[in-house]
Amino acid sequence: MKENAAYNEQFVGECLKKIRKAPDAEEGLNQLLRFLGERLECDRVYVFEEMDRQHIHNTYEWCRSHVSSGIQELPYVAKKDLYPWYERLADGENIIEPDVESLLKSDPLIYEFLQRQNIRSVILSL
């Protein structure tokens, strides 16, 4: 338990350093996304911002060098496309799904949404 807490503290500290060292907030966010993507071995890291009660907007993205950008194909998302996940996120829960294929039967709408984006695993947080 202490090892996890120490690792988490170090990880959060490294994230904060990326932001503080940047010349401005936007560059800090871009550096943070790169750090998260590389450290967590992701292909993409997105930031979505709420636009209104029904939509979120894809405003920032980091992609691994061999991965094409998805921000143009996924500029806006209707919250209903992520239901019931959006409700869980709004309640402060994180979503960690290491295998999107496992959603085929349990959450076919979410599965279809993620499959269209060629997403094989996902971590979501608000």
Side-chain angles (χ1 to χ4, degrees):
M1 189 72 128
K2 286 182 182 181
E3 290 174 6
N4 281 345
Y7 173 81
N8 290 341
E9 185 176 338
Q10 179 187 10
F11 187 78
V12 169
E14 289 179 45
C15 289
L16 293 173
K17 278 188 219 174
K18 299 290 180 194
I19 295 169
R20 279 195 314 261
K21 289 183 176 181
D24 58 55
E26 187 164 327
E27 180 60 27
L29 180 56
N30 285 322
Q31 288 180 20
L32 176 61
L33 295 179
R34 167 183 237 120
F35 174 76
L36 290 171
E38 290 173 349
R39 181 61 71 92
L40 299 174
E41 299 179 7
C42 301
D43 286 339
R44 291 188 188 100
V45 179
Y46 294 119
V47 171
F48 285 88
E49 297 180 77
E50 288 188 326
M51 293 178 52
D52 54 40
R53 291 181 167 236
Q54 283 113 25
H55 300 92
I56 53 178
H57 180 239
N58 191 349
T59 52
Y60 295 93
E61 174 190 51
W62 170 85
C63 294
R64 192 165 296 286
S65 61
H66 68 279
V67 175
S68 62
S69 172
I71 202 167
Q72 302 303 326
E73 291 81 35
L74 190 64
Y76 302 99
V77 175
K79 291 179 185 178
K80 68 175 179 59
D81 289 340
L82 296 176
Y83 181 85
W85 282 5
Y86 199 84
E87 285 185 345
R88 290 171 53 195
L89 292 166
D91 287 340
E93 193 175 332
N94 296 319
I95 308 289
I96 300 171
E97 182 51 64
D99 181 17
V100 168
E101 287 298 318
S102 71
L103 299 172
L104 180 59
K105 291 184 181 180
S106 63
D107 280 307
L109 294 176
I110 290 177
Y111 171 81
E112 182 181 324
F113 174 80
L114 297 173
Q115 196 63 21
R116 282 192 312 250
Q117 306 304 317
N118 198 27
I119 296 172
R120 297 180 309 271
S121 62
V122 65
I123 298 173
L124 302 171
S125 183
L126 285 182

